[in-house]
Amino acid sequence: MVHQLLLIFTLFVSTSFACTTFLLSDGTKKFFGKNYDWTQGHGFLTVNKRNVEKTALVPDPEQTPAVWKSKFGSVTFNQHGREFPLGGINEEGLAVEIMWLVDSEYPGPDLTPAINELQWIQYQLDNYSTTAQAVMYADKIRIADVAAPVHYMVCDRSSDCATFEYLGGKMVVHTGNQMPVKVLTNDTYEGSMQFLSNFEGFGGTKPIPAGVSSLNRFVRAASLVKGLASTLTSAFDVLRSTRVSLATQWKIVYDIQEASIEFYQRPDFRRSRLVKTTGFDYSCKTPVQVYDLSDSRRGDVSGKFVNFS
């Protein structure tokens, strides 16, 4: 089982992420956006069920795996198999996304139940309806490092967001007043905010930078989120401004208020696809359904999901 888990992550750790995530919100309309920058764009959307008993897959058999029963249904983007999502949204409007963070340092083994980096996302979607709950229970589990140094951004229907990072072996959370800018790229949130303070509109005098470095993308996204209206079009404008050339595989926008997902995929980014998450059967009495991202259809694909096999 451990060898299978390591094989699952082989592509996941072959190069670093250059992802950008943000919340664009006016208090009524809330759009949670993500550029997924990676070497490959295959994968599928998964409809995850309620009331399913789960056990985390961790690399060390001597560590105690987290065990839980899912409370909420969710729709997730998966590239490494079921239960290993790269991001998604649950039926309560909680959305979670992952980004590479080379500074991550996970805690050593202790008595806290362990979970791997990708199942951490599914655990949040399965268990919590709000960002505040995810923050409150952040220490209930700990990440058992497989091979990916990452951090996370979580947002909910109230526009409450949080970043979760493991720095120096400890969980560091920014939320509420500690998270004045709802953006995350591939540097620590604190380091990104320090860099942002050098630029116009954020206390400094430097012009908003171009370029695709993590810090430049953070500044550009922060400036756009500050200045744009909260619309779906604006959310995709932010993603276009922060894309990383050929590395950007998926452009995803979660309409948190309407519980829907709209996304584009390489190679041409011209096939906009919509998924209405409220229409799915999240009962564990029916088969799990998936949608293959290699499908070439456009428009509303909510009815194109098939039973997983």
Side-chain angles (χ1 to χ4, degrees):
M1 184 65 75
V2 173
H3 294 298
Q4 290 175 329
L5 180 61
L6 293 175
L7 180 61
I8 287 171
F9 284 97
T10 298
L11 290 177
F12 183 68
V13 299
S14 62
T15 187
S16 65
F17 275 126
C19 302
T20 303
T21 301
F22 62 89
L23 180 74
L24 183 62
S25 172
D26 61 8
T28 301
K29 298 177 181 179
K30 302 137 189 177
F31 299 98
F32 187 55
K34 163 73 175 288
N35 270 337
Y36 178 58
D37 302 326
W38 195 236
T39 58
Q40 301 187 41
H42 67 279
F44 52 93
L45 284 167
T46 305
V47 179
N48 306 282
K49 304 289 192 156
R50 306 184 203 103
N51 299 315
V52 178
E53 294 184 354
K54 302 183 180 184
T55 301
L57 186 59
V58 294
D60 185 350
E62 296 186 1
Q63 297 188 52
T64 302
V67 177
W68 72 98
K69 179 186 286 188
S70 58
K71 298 177 183 177
F72 307 110
S74 62
V75 177
T76 55
F77 286 82
N78 297 58
Q79 202 170 54
H80 307 285
R82 277 179 56 189
E83 303 296 333
F84 299 96
L86 294 166
I89 186 170
N90 71 15
E91 58 185 319
E92 296 296 313
L94 185 75
V96 184
E97 278 295 345
I98 190 173
M99 284 139 284
W100 192 271
L101 179 66
V102 71
D103 294 321
S104 293
E105 183 180 342
Y106 301 113
D110 59 23
L111 297 179
T112 307
I115 197 166
N116 65 65
E117 298 94 326
L118 297 186
Q119 274 187 302
W120 188 94
I121 298 170
Q122 192 62 58
Y123 182 92
Q124 308 305 312
L125 297 173
D126 285 349
N127 284 287
Y128 306 127
S129 60
T130 66
T131 299
Q133 290 175 344
V135 171
M136 182 181 300
Y137 299 111
D139 293 331
K140 190 173 180 180
I141 57 172
R142 63 173 179 80
I143 289 181
D145 181 17
V146 172
V150 297
H151 59 172
Y152 310 89
M153 183 168 168
V154 176
C155 293
D156 66 20
R157 278 188 180 149
S158 72
S159 299
D160 188 20
C161 296
T163 63
F164 296 82
E165 302 170 326
Y166 275 106
L167 304 175
K170 296 181 179 180
M171 173 68 82
V172 175
V173 177
H174 289 88
T175 192
N177 294 334
Q178 296 176 328
M179 193 182 178
V181 174
K182 295 175 180 178
V183 175
L184 193 63
T185 54
N186 309 111
D187 282 83
T188 66
Y189 186 77
E190 182 177 355
S192 298
M193 288 299 296
Q194 289 176 353
F195 185 74
L196 180 65
S197 66
N198 296 306
F199 294 88
E200 294 174 344
F202 300 96
T205 59
K206 293 183 178 180
I208 302 302
V212 297
S213 73
S214 166
L215 291 173
N216 284 351
R217 283 184 286 109
F218 184 92
V219 173
R220 201 154 61 253
S223 178
L224 290 168
V225 166
K226 182 179 180 180
L228 292 175
S230 185
T231 66
L232 181 66
T233 298
S234 294
F236 278 110
D237 286 343
V238 179
L239 294 179
R240 277 189 287 273
S241 178
T242 57
R243 65 174 293 192
V244 183
S245 187
L246 298 178
T248 300
Q249 302 294 337
W250 307 333
K251 296 178 182 177
I252 305 166
V253 174
Y254 303 92
D255 185 332
I256 293 180
Q257 196 62 36
E258 298 298 324
S260 63
I261 308 169
E262 190 159 337
F263 65 98
Y264 291 76
Q265 187 179 10
R266 292 195 64 82
D268 58 14
F269 288 118
R270 287 182 294 205
R271 297 191 184 98
S272 171
R273 281 172 277 182
L274 173 71
V275 176
K276 299 175 181 176
T277 64
T278 54
F280 291 114
D281 180 3
Y282 293 111
S283 167
C284 63
K285 296 180 180 179
T286 56
V288 168
Q289 291 195 308
V290 296
Y291 173 76
D292 189 341
L293 293 179
S294 66
D295 180 43
S296 61
R297 279 175 271 220
R298 304 184 187 191
D300 188 348
V301 297
S302 306
K304 307 303 180 183
F305 283 63
V306 298
N307 292 347
F308 176 84
S309 67

